[in-house]
Amino acid sequence: MTGLPRYHDLPIDPKYPPKTAWGVWGEDDNLGTLNLLTEERVLKAAQTVKTGKVFPLNWDLEKPDPPFFRRSAIKHHIQDHPGSDARKFDDVYDNFNTQASSQWDGLRHVCHFRSGRFYNNVSSDHILPGPNASDRLGIHHMARRGIVGRAVLLDYGRWRSARDSDYNPLVREEVPVEDLEQVAKAQGVTFEDGDILLIRYGWMESYENSSCAIRSDELGRPDSIGIEASEKTFGWIWDHHFACVGADVVAFEAFPVKDWDLSCHAQLLGGFGMPIGEMFYLEDLANDCAQDDISWQIRNTYDSPDNFCLKLP
């Protein structure tokens, strides 16, 4: 996977929209930047493991409570098997929405707004039910392949809190990549091609400790800190050749989104084919990392859309 174009050299063909990575891994590709997780990089990541600690990153399925975006709340009930003498049970969840709680945003979640097409020039006709429907860009492609590689955790929340006693991640704020570079330097983190970038802002900790309702607008959209959506951010993310990105906030980028045409969702999902992880529970992992002097480099193992964990080396 050497020789990837720089951000300012995208696209690889003038027939594609500006600054998109369409066609980089072939016109029929459904994985986008996950192609960076080569066997060599997975093997190298496995060799960094130093301890056997395991940290699940799933938040409770019942959270946030009440649900954001006017979604219906998940309902859990235990169903017994008739005639089993109460020896067999199923855990059943009703109203389970894959866009609630911890989640991966797949490549047909948000399009490249400026072109109106999804990653690799896929149209909505290939996604919506109808005569042209296909399985293009479905998240099942990610799940069947799996996401395994080296991840780096940037604990922005801990870094910021040490410098700003009034820091509040529950308020919308755009974080520039220059700040993330400072966090990486403070932690001694260096990036490698194919890394999985995780950012802890402390949003989830603040949510859990909040004694008042989370502020949201009339559509149920909460305020949240997040990365700045800008050309500088897009170039920084692409030129580091991250395989995917994730954070402990609602949308990875500052939310609510001010301009979907210039949003991280439109550019990363629709333009790069880069999955976005949202509302990852990073508290226990970050606390343990803060006690270690090992540059907070971690190995990521993903086995299904709703069950993933990080293993500390």
Coordinates of all heavy atoms in Angstrom, one line a residue, residues 45-79:
A45 N 1.0 -5.2 14.3 CA 0.2 -4.7 15.4 C 0.2 -5.8 16.5 O 0.3 -5.5 17.7 CB -1.2 -4.4 15.0
A46 N 0.0 -7.1 16.1 CA 0.0 -8.2 17.1 C 1.3 -8.2 17.8 O 1.3 -8.6 19.0 CB -0.3 -9.5 16.4
Q47 N 2.4 -7.9 17.2 CA 3.7 -8.0 17.9 C 3.9 -6.9 18.9 O 4.9 -6.9 19.6 CB 4.8 -8.0 16.8 CG 4.8 -9.2 15.9 CD 5.7 -9.1 14.7 OE1 6.1 -8.0 14.3 NE2 5.9 -10.2 14.1
T48 N 3.0 -5.9 19.0 CA 3.2 -4.8 20.0 C 2.5 -5.2 21.3 O 2.7 -4.4 22.3 CB 2.6 -3.5 19.4 OG1 1.1 -3.6 19.4 CG2 3.1 -3.1 18.1
V49 N 1.8 -6.3 21.3 CA 1.0 -6.6 22.6 C 2.0 -6.9 23.7 O 2.9 -7.7 23.5 CB 0.1 -7.8 22.3 CG1 -0.6 -8.2 23.6 CG2 -0.9 -7.4 21.3
K50 N 1.8 -6.3 24.9 CA 2.7 -6.5 26.0 C 1.9 -7.1 27.2 O 2.5 -7.8 28.0 CB 3.3 -5.2 26.5 CG 4.2 -4.5 25.4 CD 5.4 -5.3 25.2 CE 6.4 -4.6 24.3 NZ 5.9 -4.3 22.9
T51 N 0.6 -6.9 27.4 CA -0.2 -7.4 28.4 C -1.5 -8.0 27.9 O -1.8 -7.8 26.7 CB -0.5 -6.4 29.5 OG1 -1.6 -5.5 29.0 CG2 0.7 -5.5 29.9
G52 N -2.2 -8.7 28.7 CA -3.4 -9.3 28.3 C -4.7 -8.5 28.7 O -5.8 -9.1 28.6
K53 N -4.6 -7.3 29.1 CA -5.7 -6.5 29.5 C -6.7 -6.3 28.3 O -6.2 -6.0 27.2 CB -5.3 -5.2 30.1 CG -4.5 -5.3 31.3 CD -4.1 -3.9 31.9 CE -3.3 -4.0 33.2 NZ -2.9 -2.6 33.7
V54 N -8.0 -6.3 28.6 CA -9.0 -6.2 27.6 C -9.9 -5.1 28.0 O -10.4 -5.1 29.2 CB -9.8 -7.5 27.3 CG1 -10.9 -7.3 26.3 CG2 -8.8 -8.6 26.9
F55 N -10.3 -4.2 27.1 CA -11.1 -3.1 27.4 C -12.3 -3.0 26.4 O -12.0 -2.5 25.3 CB -10.4 -1.7 27.4 CG -9.3 -1.7 28.5 CD1 -8.0 -2.1 28.3 CD2 -9.6 -1.3 29.8 CE1 -7.1 -2.1 29.3 CE2 -8.7 -1.2 30.8 CZ -7.4 -1.6 30.5
P56 N -13.4 -3.5 26.7 CA -14.6 -3.3 25.8 C -14.9 -1.8 25.6 O -14.8 -1.0 26.5 CB -15.7 -4.0 26.5 CG -15.1 -4.9 27.5 CD -13.8 -4.2 27.9
L57 N -15.2 -1.4 24.4 CA -15.5 0.0 24.1 C -16.9 0.2 23.9 O -17.3 1.3 23.5 CB -14.7 0.4 22.8 CG -13.2 0.3 22.9 CD1 -12.5 1.0 21.7 CD2 -12.6 0.8 24.2
N58 N -17.8 -0.8 24.1 CA -19.2 -0.6 23.9 C -19.8 0.1 25.1 O -19.6 -0.2 26.3 CB -19.9 -2.0 23.9 CG -19.5 -2.8 22.7 OD1 -18.3 -3.2 22.7 ND2 -20.4 -3.0 21.8
W59 N -20.6 1.2 24.8 CA -21.4 1.9 25.8 C -22.6 1.0 26.1 O -22.9 0.1 25.3 CB -21.7 3.2 25.3 CG -22.1 4.3 26.4 CD1 -21.8 4.2 27.7 CD2 -22.8 5.5 26.1 NE1 -22.3 5.3 28.3 CE2 -22.9 6.1 27.4 CE3 -23.3 6.1 25.0 CZ2 -23.5 7.4 27.6 CZ3 -23.9 7.4 25.2 CH2 -24.0 8.0 26.4
D60 N -23.3 1.3 27.2 CA -24.6 0.5 27.4 C -25.5 0.7 26.2 O -25.7 1.9 25.7 CB -25.2 1.0 28.7 CG -24.4 0.8 29.9 OD1 -23.5 0.0 29.9 OD2 -24.6 1.5 30.9
L61 N -26.2 -0.3 25.8 CA -27.1 -0.2 24.7 C -28.3 0.7 25.1 O -28.9 1.3 24.2 CB -27.7 -1.6 24.4 CG -26.8 -2.6 23.6 CD1 -27.5 -3.9 23.4 CD2 -26.4 -2.0 22.3
E62 N -28.6 0.8 26.3 CA -29.7 1.7 26.8 C -29.3 3.2 26.8 O -30.2 4.0 27.1 CB -30.2 1.3 28.1 CG -30.8 -0.1 28.2 CD -29.7 -1.3 28.2 OE1 -28.5 -0.9 28.4 OE2 -30.1 -2.4 28.1
K63 N -28.1 3.5 26.5 CA -27.7 4.9 26.6 C -27.3 5.4 25.1 O -27.0 4.6 24.3 CB -26.4 5.0 27.5 CG -26.8 4.7 28.9 CD -25.5 4.8 29.8 CE -25.9 4.5 31.2 NZ -24.7 4.5 32.1
P64 N -27.5 6.7 25.0 CA -28.0 7.7 25.9 C -29.5 7.6 26.2 O -30.2 7.1 25.4 CB -27.7 9.0 25.1 CG -27.8 8.6 23.7 CD -27.2 7.2 23.6
D65 N -29.8 8.1 27.4 CA -31.2 7.9 27.9 C -31.6 9.3 28.5 O -31.0 9.8 29.4 CB -31.3 6.9 29.0 CG -32.7 6.7 29.5 OD1 -33.6 7.1 28.8 OD2 -32.8 6.2 30.6
P66 N -32.6 10.0 27.8 CA -33.4 9.5 26.7 C -32.6 9.5 25.4 O -31.5 10.2 25.3 CB -34.5 10.5 26.6 CG -33.9 11.8 27.2 CD -33.0 11.3 28.3
P67 N -33.0 8.8 24.4 CA -32.3 8.7 23.2 C -32.2 10.1 22.5 O -33.1 10.9 22.6 CB -33.1 7.7 22.3 CG -33.9 6.9 23.3 CD -34.2 7.9 24.4
F68 N -31.1 10.3 21.7 CA -31.0 11.5 20.9 C -31.8 11.3 19.6 O -32.2 10.3 19.2 CB -29.5 11.7 20.6 CG -28.6 12.0 21.8 CD1 -27.3 11.5 21.8 CD2 -29.1 12.7 22.9 CE1 -26.5 11.8 22.9 CE2 -28.3 12.9 24.0 CZ -27.0 12.5 24.0
F69 N -32.0 12.5 18.9 CA -32.6 12.5 17.6 C -34.0 12.0 17.6 O -34.4 11.5 16.6 CB -31.7 11.8 16.6 CG -30.3 12.2 16.6 CD1 -29.3 11.4 17.2 CD2 -29.9 13.4 16.1 CE1 -28.0 11.8 17.3 CE2 -28.6 13.8 16.1 CZ -27.6 13.0 16.7
R70 N -34.7 12.0 18.7 CA -36.1 11.6 18.8 C -36.2 10.1 18.5 O -37.3 9.7 18.0 CB -37.0 12.4 17.9 CG -37.0 13.9 18.3 CD -38.0 14.7 17.4 NE -38.1 16.1 17.8 CZ -38.8 16.9 17.1 NH1 -39.5 16.6 16.0 NH2 -38.9 18.2 17.5
R71 N -35.2 9.3 18.7 CA -35.3 7.9 18.4 C -36.1 7.2 19.6 O -36.1 7.7 20.7 CB -33.9 7.3 18.3 CG -33.1 7.8 17.2 CD -31.8 7.0 17.1 NE -31.0 7.4 15.9 CZ -29.9 8.0 15.9 NH1 -29.3 8.4 17.1 NH2 -29.2 8.3 14.8
S72 N -36.7 6.1 19.2 CA -37.4 5.4 20.3 C -36.4 4.6 21.1 O -35.3 4.3 20.7 CB -38.4 4.4 19.6 OG -37.7 3.5 18.8
A73 N -36.8 4.5 22.4 CA -35.9 3.8 23.3 C -35.9 2.3 23.1 O -36.9 1.7 22.8 CB -36.3 4.1 24.8
I74 N -34.7 1.7 23.3 CA -34.6 0.3 23.2 C -35.3 -0.4 24.4 O -35.3 0.1 25.5 CB -33.1 -0.2 23.1 CG1 -32.9 -1.6 22.7 CG2 -32.4 0.1 24.4 CD1 -31.5 -2.0 22.4
K75 N -35.9 -1.5 24.1 CA -36.6 -2.3 25.2 C -36.0 -3.7 25.3 O -35.9 -4.4 24.3 CB -38.1 -2.3 24.9 CG -38.7 -0.9 24.9 CD -40.2 -1.0 24.6 CE -40.8 0.4 24.5 NZ -42.3 0.4 24.2
H76 N -35.7 -4.1 26.5 CA -35.1 -5.4 26.7 C -36.1 -6.2 27.6 O -36.6 -5.8 28.6 CB -33.8 -5.2 27.5 CG -33.2 -6.5 28.0 ND1 -32.6 -6.7 29.2 CD2 -33.1 -7.7 27.4 CE1 -32.2 -7.9 29.4 NE2 -32.4 -8.6 28.3
H77 N -36.3 -7.4 27.1 CA -37.1 -8.4 27.9 C -36.5 -9.8 27.7 O -35.9 -10.1 26.7 CB -38.6 -8.3 27.5 CG -38.9 -8.7 26.1 ND1 -38.9 -7.8 25.1 CD2 -39.3 -9.9 25.6 CE1 -39.2 -8.5 23.9 NE2 -39.5 -9.7 24.2
I78 N -36.8 -10.6 28.7 CA -36.3 -11.9 28.7 C -37.4 -12.9 28.4 O -38.5 -12.8 29.0 CB -35.7 -12.3 30.1 CG1 -34.5 -11.4 30.5 CG2 -35.3 -13.8 30.2 CD1 -34.0 -11.6 31.9
Q79 N -37.2 -13.7 27.3 CA -38.2 -14.5 26.8 C -37.9 -16.0 27.1 O -36.8 -16.5 26.8 CB -38.3 -14.3 25.3 CG -39.4 -15.1 24.6 CD -39.5 -14.8 23.1 OE1 -38.6 -15.3 22.4 NE2 -40.4 -14.1 22.7

